[in-house]
C-alpha cells in the first residue's frame, strides 16, 4: 500500500535543509533550523586564525582549516549532504572580513551549499522574539 505524502512530511523535509552554524571564538554550535537544541557543540581548532606560536596564518592556511572544519561538521556531526543545504552563519561582528570571505568561498565553491547567509550574533536574540526593535545587552564574567 502506497503512503501518500502529507504536508507535515514536506515541512519536515524542508526544515532539514536549513543548517544554522554559530562560529564563536572558542566553540562552534550547529544544527538544523527548527530543532530545540544544537546537534553539536565542538571546540574551534579549525577556525583559528593563529598558529600555536601566535603568528597569523596565511589566507591559504585559513581556507584549508575552514574546509577541514566544515567537512567535519557536515560529514560527522550533521551527517547530511552539503549540496542540499541552505546555511545560516551566526557570526561575531568583530570577526575579520578575510575569515568570513574564506568561509563563504569554502561553503559555496567547495561544499556547494545552496545559499549562505551571515547574520551578526547580536541580532539573533531580537529576531527570536519577533519584534522589529530591541535593546541587546551582552555581559561576560571575567576571571
Amino acid at each position: 500500500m502506497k503512503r501518500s505524502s502529507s504536508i507535515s512530511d514536506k515541512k519536515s523535509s524542508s526544515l532539514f535543509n536549513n543548517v544554522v552554524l554559530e562560529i564563536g571564538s572558542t566553540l562552534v554550535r550547529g544544527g538544523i533550523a527548527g530543532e530545540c537544541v544544537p546537534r553539536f557543540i565542538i571546540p574551534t581548532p579549525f577556525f583559528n586564525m593563529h598558529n600555536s606560536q601566535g603568528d597569523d596564518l596565511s589566507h591559504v592556511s585559513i581556507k584549508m582549516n575552514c574546509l577541514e572544519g566544515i567537512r567535519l561538521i557536515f560529514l560527522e556531526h550533521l551527517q547530511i549532504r552539503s549540496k542540499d543545504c541552505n546555511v545560516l552563519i551566526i557570526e561575531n561582528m568583530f570577526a575579520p572580513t578575510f575569515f568570513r570571505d574564506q568561509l563563504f568561498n569554502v561553503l559555496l565553491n567547495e561544499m556547494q551549499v545552496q545559499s549562505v547567509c551571515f547574520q551578526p550574533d547580536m541580532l539573533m536574540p531580537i529576531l527570536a522574539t519577533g519584534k522589529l526593535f530591541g535593546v541587546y545587552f551582552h555581559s561576560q564574567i571575567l576571571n
Side-chain angles (χ1 to χ4, degrees):
M1 179 180 205
K2 187 176 179 183
R3 186 177 153 237
S4 63
S5 65
S6 65
I7 294 174
S8 63
D9 291 341
K10 291 177 184 174
K11 231 182 208 184
S12 64
S13 66
S14 68
L15 283 176
F16 194 75
N17 294 330
N18 298 319
V19 173
V20 180
L21 298 174
E22 181 180 6
I23 301 175
S25 58
T26 57
L27 295 174
V28 175
R29 289 184 281 208
I32 306 299
E35 294 182 346
C36 297
V37 296
R39 285 197 177 186
F40 65 89
I41 300 173
I42 58 173
T44 58
F46 300 107
F47 300 105
N48 288 336
M49 287 165 271
H50 308 288
N51 62 16
S52 59
Q53 289 82 26
D55 300 328
D56 289 342
L57 294 173
S58 69
H59 290 267
V60 174
S61 297
I62 291 172
K63 181 177 180 178
M64 296 310 294
N65 288 349
C66 285
L67 181 58
E68 188 176 344
I70 293 296
R71 280 190 179 146
L72 174 79
I73 287 170
F74 275 99
L75 296 176
E76 290 186 21
H77 298 290
L78 293 175
Q79 298 178 351
I80 57 176
R81 288 175 25 132
S82 61
K83 293 180 181 183
D84 299 332
C85 297
N86 301 311
V87 179
L88 170 65
I89 304 285
I90 301 171
E91 63 168 346
N92 184 342
M93 281 181 36
F94 304 111
T97 304
F98 68 87
F99 174 71
R100 187 178 325 139
D101 293 343
Q102 295 298 330
L103 187 58
F104 181 79
N105 286 329
V106 164
L107 285 166
L108 279 183
N109 298 330
E110 304 291 334
M111 301 302 290
Q112 299 177 350
V113 298
Q114 296 292 318
S115 65
V116 179
C117 178
F118 288 89
Q119 290 295 323
D121 58 354
M122 295 170 58
L123 185 61
M124 291 298 109
I126 296 170
L127 287 178
T129 65
K131 304 288 183 187
L132 295 177
F133 304 99
V135 178
Y136 172 70
F137 293 100
H138 178 76
S139 63
Q140 184 177 2
I141 298 173
L142 301 174
N143 292 334

